[in-house]
Amino acid sequence: MNRILRVLTSLLFATCVYGQYHKAPEPIHDLLSAPPTPLVLVSPGSDRLLVADRLQYPPITDLAQPMLRIAGLRINPATNGRHHPPRLTSLSLVDVATGKTREVTGLPANAYLSSPVWSPDGKQFAFTNTTVDGIELWLGNGASASAVRLEGVKLNAIMGETIQWMPDSHTLLVQTIPANRGKVPQPPISPDGPIVQQSDGKKAPVRTYEDLLKDPHDEALFDYYARAQLTLVHLHSSKMGPLKASMTTASSVGKCAIFAMVEPSPDGRHFLVSRIAHPYSYIVPESDFPREVEVWDAKGNLEYKLASLPLADHVPIEGVLTGPRDYEWAPQQPATLVWAEALDGGDPKTKAPFRDHLMTLSAPFKAQPVELVKLEQRYLPGFGGGFFGIGGGRGLEWGENGIALVRDYDRNRRWLRTFLIDLNKLGGQPRLIWQRAIRDRYNDPGVPLQRTLANGRHIMWQQGDSIFLAGSGASPKGEFPFLDRYDLATGKTERLFHCADKQYESVIALASGDGTKFITRHESPSDPPNYFLRTANAASEARQLTRFPDPQPELRGITKQLVTYKRADGVQLSFTLYLPRDYKQGERLPTIVWAYPLEFNDAATAGQVSGSPYHFTVLNGPSQLFLVTQGYAVLDNATMPIVGDPETMNNTYVEQIVESAKAAIDKAVEMGVTDRNRVGVGGHSYGAFMTANLLAHSDLFRAGVARSGAYNRTLTPFGFQSERRTLWEAPQMYIKVSPFMEADKIKSPILLIHGMADDNSGTFPVQSERMYEAIKGNGGLVRYVQLPYEAHGYLARESVEDTLWEMVTWFDHWVKNAKPATEMKTASGQN
């Protein structure tokens, strides 16, 4: 019987085209139907929670909606918004004081809602609803838990922020479709002439971007759909009850433009505007198009020209534009601009005593800008995720009375420093507060918690000289989140909260001025994520605010364990071991190693443990963890550090991932959970690149799954991941790390999966297409699955289920039910 099944499976693998999506095996199919954990947004005053239900897996018909792929964007021309944005389906409000929950009434049928935005005073929230032919503006009322559509407003949701609150909490700044903009530009019947591009003889390194402009017609489409009219929607609320749709007026601000950014000043009298300008480019996305950065008055008249920024096609790798960048308003000043400018020409390889300085200028913008502070290294804005996991967004971290935290980044040392500066002491010496290696998780002080000012701006939550820091609490035993009160004057830290053992609880927001009350998100292996109101150092007083049920009770009993070990060169490694719910001690299972390599300067930092075994297990998307339900052990997030000099570390990329993979397998075998003869490997994106390399350069694995990867680094010639050298500077390394060049050595079966509309830089679908052809042409065992309409991450229910079916079927055939390695033959029917 088993032989017959193997023959049938082999015949199935020989098929080239399928006419339908596959259903994932049970219990995966049912698990995918479980509702996801809702999105929770805390109000500015921390007195309400806005709870939003999500549609996790849109149908493939949603992804099949019309799509324009231009200027690095994906536009739905029917709605004049982005293509298949995240979808919220319902809203409810939780009163923090009483714990009472109320559903928001008045929402549209078949709702397609955006993430709501609270008004500065926390009384209202605005959001959009996407229909088949446009995007509507909606308003919610916190007191009445009701919502209403604001009629007569046709939103343009393509560029920048679609909706923002003005400082008065009664006016919305929105981007609308220009009135009388005419008909959609039609493609020419025949071209007017050739498309010509020409360089100017200067270096212009570029990454490999998707969805770029291709011709003048694309340019016309970008102009047509992205141009917007800034509009103020004034809400005339009634003192007797909730706002009604008819109680609004609207007024236009300035002329139509393509707005990359619009930010009202804290006093509401000015607008900081960044407009996209011609000429466009066919080799970089809109984020690198020319910009006109201006200050407008309340009516849209030009008050001050901050910068005319050119096309950013000559910026060095890891460099920045010259001229003003990262511009913003100081939150507690009526109208004071702050921005960064390079002092080294924007080139990180140029030696300079100072790389950046911060400049400032206040209304009425008649004086000359003044230097706020000089920085020895590159200014790094933002304090949440993003760049190397430690930065993102724009801006300084502002505090009371003009103080701010500012960070700089030493590219050579990969070193991060945080300084305290004072807007009232121009040109003053910044005071060093913290410093650490970019990837040093153990010494991360945390992120300052924020509060919302009456004008809607955000500053650090401060009590005297103290701020409040929430961090992940990474340690050799895993993550244990914390809340600290940090004194900026003395540098002393007081711990207000620390996550207890065998659970995962993180602080979301403060609920009192002194930091003694705060809202947390708590979960454990047996308790689903929920929100609590806690009092510092008084765990017994925690009060549960939400009661989200267990969405996937079938998973309880699955065990997970954080495992640490060392590879041959002494570098500390780790993985999270997942075992099936019916696992019996000592049973050796087929095992899947799933990983994503990261780069580190030193072994000590590379060996730091990440993650926690105490998260509540919920499986979603095409997660590799679904394989646990099929009888596999999964070594999840098996660390694959690439350690060395940032300029040359990839010279030993292959050797390091092979040693890391061997160490992981050895540890799992030593633990008695893994059958060494039945081990598979997989990864997504850079993890797919790793997977193909492991199969090409080792005999550790029986099979692999590589999703949405890049395999030929000559097609990403101006760097990849953290690689700084170009193909022409390090040709041997580019060839060595490209598994495409070793396709003839990949003898273990490999499954390639790729979204046909991949939007990630470097991972063009042609990468998988050429890899498939190379392995097939050399007689290897390979299967190539293309997912229609899917981008770099897979969204549609049909695509997710089909991906999981492919992964389970592949690993079952080649790993779980594998013949002894000596009997593996290509005569299995694989085509």
Side-chain angles (χ1 to χ4, degrees):
M1 183 67 178
N2 287 338
R3 182 178 180 183
I4 294 174
L5 288 174
R6 286 181 179 178
V7 171
L8 290 174
T9 305
S10 296
L11 290 173
L12 181 60
F13 285 155
T15 306
C16 296
V17 180
Y18 297 108
Q20 61 182 13
Y21 290 99
H22 298 96
K23 296 290 186 184
E26 296 299 346
I28 298 177
H29 176 76
D30 286 343
L31 290 171
L32 289 172
S33 299
T37 301
L39 171 71
V40 175
L41 301 172
V42 182
S43 67
S46 297
D47 56 338
R48 293 188 180 102
L49 304 182
L50 187 55
V51 179
D53 290 318
R54 301 177 288 132
L55 177 67
Q56 189 160 17
Y57 307 114
I60 194 69
T61 52
D62 276 13
L63 273 63
Q65 293 295 309
M67 178 168 63
L68 296 175
R69 300 172 61 170
I70 51 177
L73 304 175
R74 297 190 167 184
I75 297 170
N76 185 335
T79 65
N80 216 102
R82 294 296 182 95
H83 195 263
H84 61 82
R87 181 175 183 175
L88 305 181
T89 57
S90 66
L91 303 172
S92 59
L93 287 162
V94 178
D95 187 275
V96 171
T98 65
K100 181 181 178 182
T101 299
R102 297 172 296 162
E103 289 189 11
V104 174
T105 61
L107 295 176
N110 195 31
Y112 195 142
L113 313 179
S114 67
S115 181
V117 182
W118 282 103
S119 62
D121 61 10
K123 294 180 179 180
Q124 301 176 103
F125 48 92
F127 55 96
T128 69
N129 179 55
T130 299
T131 67
V132 293
D133 59 357
I135 301 175
E136 305 168 340
L137 178 61
W138 282 70
L139 189 73
N141 183 287
S144 64
S146 61
V148 64
R149 177 189 171 191
L150 303 184
E151 299 177 359
V153 180
K154 295 182 179 180
L155 296 177
N156 186 327
I158 291 175
M159 296 290 298
E161 294 187 54
T162 306
I163 51 177
Q164 299 182 69
W165 285 96
M166 294 294 288
D168 62 6
S169 286
H170 296 292
T171 307
L172 285 165
L173 175 65
V174 300
Q175 295 199 42
T176 60
I177 295 174
N180 304 318
R181 68 174 175 179
K183 295 182 179 181
V184 179
Q186 296 300 307
I189 297 175
S190 61
D192 294 330
I195 298 170
V196 178
Q197 299 183 68
Q198 180 172 320
S199 73
D200 56 8
K202 300 177 182 178
K203 284 188 176 181
V206 294
R207 301 291 187 179
T208 45
Y209 297 108
E210 302 270 14
D211 306 332
L212 300 178
L213 297 174
K214 299 182 295 298
D215 52 42
H217 180 245
D218 277 358
E219 294 189 51
L221 289 174
F222 179 60
D223 283 335
Y224 181 84
Y225 285 106
R227 284 180 73 248
Q229 174 65 61
L230 294 183
T231 303
L232 293 172
V233 180
H234 309 276
L235 313 174
H236 308 293
S237 58
S238 169
K239 297 181 180 180
M240 303 300 294
L243 179 76
K244 295 182 180 180
S246 59
M247 300 165 62
T248 63
T249 57
S251 58
S252 298
V253 178
K255 295 181 179 180
C256 297
I258 300 177
F259 298 101
M261 186 206 78
V262 180
E263 191 173 286
S265 62
D267 64 5
R269 298 180 179 180
H270 314 272
F271 297 99
L272 176 58
V273 174
S274 175
R275 298 185 292 111
I276 290 180
H278 286 266
Y280 298 155
S281 170
Y282 294 180
I283 62 171
V284 294
E286 56 79 22
S287 55
D288 289 332
F289 288 1
R291 299 275 199 279
E292 296 294 331
V293 187
E294 303 162 338
V295 177
W296 292 2
D297 66 17
K299 294 183 178 180
N301 299 311
L302 177 65
E303 289 186 288
Y304 177 70
K305 171 79 73 173
L306 177 60
S308 291
L309 301 176
L311 183 70
D313 61 345
H314 288 90
V315 176
I317 294 174
E318 292 190 349
V320 296
L321 269 174
T322 56
R325 69 179 201 278
D326 298 310
Y327 24 83
E328 63 174 302
W329 297 109
Q332 287 190 306
Q333 301 289 323
T336 296
L337 291 171
V338 177
W339 66 90
E341 286 191 44
L343 296 173
D344 61 356
D347 189 344
K349 294 184 178 181
T350 298
K351 292 183 179 181
F354 297 96
R355 294 213 173 272
D356 276 338
H357 63 169
L358 299 183
M359 305 295 290
T360 183
L361 178 66
S362 299
F365 315 109
K366 302 298 183 184
Q368 290 298 311
V370 179
E371 183 177 83
L372 174 57
V373 66
K374 276 192 175 78
L375 299 172
E376 293 178 342
Q377 303 300 333
R378 184 71 69 216
Y379 170 58
L380 187 64
F383 273 68
F387 184 50
F388 286 112
I390 47 79
R394 289 183 303 106
L396 299 151
E397 195 75 17
W398 292 96
E400 302 282 1
N401 303 318
I403 67 167
L405 296 180
V406 58
R407 302 186 304 170
D408 72 3
Y409 167 61
D410 185 338
R411 172 183 179 271
N412 295 325
R413 297 178 60 203
R414 293 165 63 92
W415 195 257
L416 178 70
R417 299 186 298 177
T418 304
F419 298 91
L420 181 68
I421 63 171
D422 191 337
L423 186 60
N424 302 306
K425 299 177 181 179
L426 301 179
Q429 185 71 21
R431 180 159 63 89
L432 182 64
I433 302 295
W434 305 299
Q435 59 178 327
R436 61 184 174 93
I438 280 287
R439 293 206 189 276
D440 182 357
R441 306 180 75 254
Y442 291 178
N443 292 299
D444 185 352
V447 176
L449 293 178
Q450 295 184 327
R451 69 180 181 91
T452 304
L453 298 173
N455 60 21
R457 314 295 295 181
H458 300 286
I459 64 170
M460 293 184 289
W461 201 303
Q462 203 167 330
Q463 183 189 28
D465 289 328
S466 295
I467 61 175
F468 299 90
L469 303 170
S472 64
S475 75
K477 295 183 179 180
E479 294 181 352
F480 295 90
F482 63 83
L483 174 66
D484 283 349
R485 179 188 284 116
Y486 179 83
D487 192 308
L488 292 168
T490 66
K492 293 182 178 179
T493 298
E494 176 189 1
R495 182 134 298 179
L496 301 177
F497 168 79
H498 197 204
C499 176
D501 194 21
K502 297 184 178 180
Q503 54 193 292
Y504 191 90
E505 186 169 16
S506 55
V507 176
I508 303 302
L510 295 184
S512 65
D514 60 0
T516 58
K517 290 185 182 296
F518 44 87
I519 297 171
T520 66
R521 185 182 190 270
H522 173 275
E523 60 186 290
S524 74
S526 58
D527 300 314
N530 271 292
Y531 291 77
F532 289 76
L533 180 64
R534 285 197 176 275
T535 300
N537 303 316
S540 60
E541 296 185 22
R543 182 158 55 80
Q544 190 167 348
L545 300 174
T546 62
R547 299 188 181 278
F548 304 140
D550 183 348
Q552 297 173 329
E554 303 93 329
L555 297 180
R556 294 327 122 217
I558 287 176
T559 60
K560 54 185 171 181
Q561 175 186 354
L562 181 63
V563 179
T564 58
Y565 51 99
K566 291 183 178 180
R567 74 183 185 192
D569 60 0
V571 175
Q572 187 81 19
L573 306 176
S574 65
F575 58 69
T576 300
L577 171 64
Y578 285 80
L579 294 172
R581 59 187 300 178
D582 57 354
Y583 176 72
K584 297 177 181 179
Q585 191 69 28
E587 181 183 5
R588 292 193 179 275
L589 299 176
T591 299
I592 305 302
V593 177
W594 199 272
Y596 188 99
L598 294 173
E599 300 87 357
F600 297 87
N601 277 32
D602 60 90
T605 307
Q608 292 185 353
V609 173
S610 63
S612 169
Y614 302 124
H615 283 291
F616 183 72
T617 300
V618 175
L619 305 185
N620 51 59
S623 172
Q624 64 279 2
L625 297 181
F626 278 110
L627 290 162
V628 181
T629 70
Q630 306 300 303
Y632 291 85
V634 176
L635 314 187
D636 192 43
N637 192 27
T639 52
M640 300 275 176
I642 312 304
V643 184
D645 186 318
E647 298 294 337
T648 59
M649 62 174 58
N650 278 325
N651 290 354
T652 57
Y653 171 88
V654 170
E655 293 84 352
Q656 293 197 56
I657 63 168
V658 170
E659 285 302 313
S660 294
K662 182 178 183 301
I665 295 172
D666 288 347
K667 182 62 178 180
V669 170
E670 176 192 316
M671 294 174 68
V673 301
T674 290
D675 178 351
R676 187 185 295 276
N677 294 314
R678 294 189 296 161
V679 182
V681 64
H684 189 93
S685 193
Y686 203 49
F689 173 69
M690 170 209 73
T691 297
N693 265 305
L694 286 171
L695 296 186
H697 296 283
S698 78
D699 58 0
L700 297 169
F701 301 100
R702 301 302 301 271
V705 171
R707 302 188 326 215
S708 298
Y711 310 103
N712 183 350
R713 285 303 169 194
T714 68
L715 298 180
T716 57
F718 288 101
F720 55 91
Q721 293 299 106
S722 297
E723 178 56 54
R724 298 169 175 176
R725 296 167 293 176
T726 69
L727 168 64
W728 301 274
E729 293 170 325
Q732 292 183 346
M733 182 276 295
Y734 272 74
I735 297 296
K736 178 182 176 181
V737 302
S738 295
F740 177 82
M741 305 300 178
E742 306 289 334
D744 60 324
K745 297 181 176 64
I746 298 178
K747 300 305 181 183
S748 297
I750 184 170
L751 169 64
L752 304 175
I753 304 176
H754 216 119
M756 295 174 70
D758 196 321
D759 57 348
N760 185 58
S761 175
T763 55
F764 288 83
V766 70
Q767 290 271 5
S768 290
E769 178 184 336
R770 294 290 183 263
M771 191 67 181
Y772 168 74
E773 293 169 352
I775 298 173
K776 182 179 185 297
N778 280 285
L781 295 160
V782 61
R783 178 179 174 85
Y784 177 32
V785 178
Q786 301 177 71
L787 299 174
Y789 305 115
E790 292 291 352
H792 194 59
Y794 316 148
L795 293 178
R797 171 65 185 258
E798 294 89 340
S799 303
V800 168
E801 242 187 292
D802 193 77
T803 297
L804 290 169
W805 180 89
E806 291 282 355
M807 291 170 60
V808 170
T809 305
W810 191 257
F811 280 137
D812 277 359
H813 184 68
W814 298 113
V815 177
K816 181 190 286 186
N817 301 313
K819 299 176 183 179
T822 56
E823 297 181 19
M824 283 279 290
K825 296 181 179 179
T826 58
S828 60
Q830 172 69 23
N831 194 342

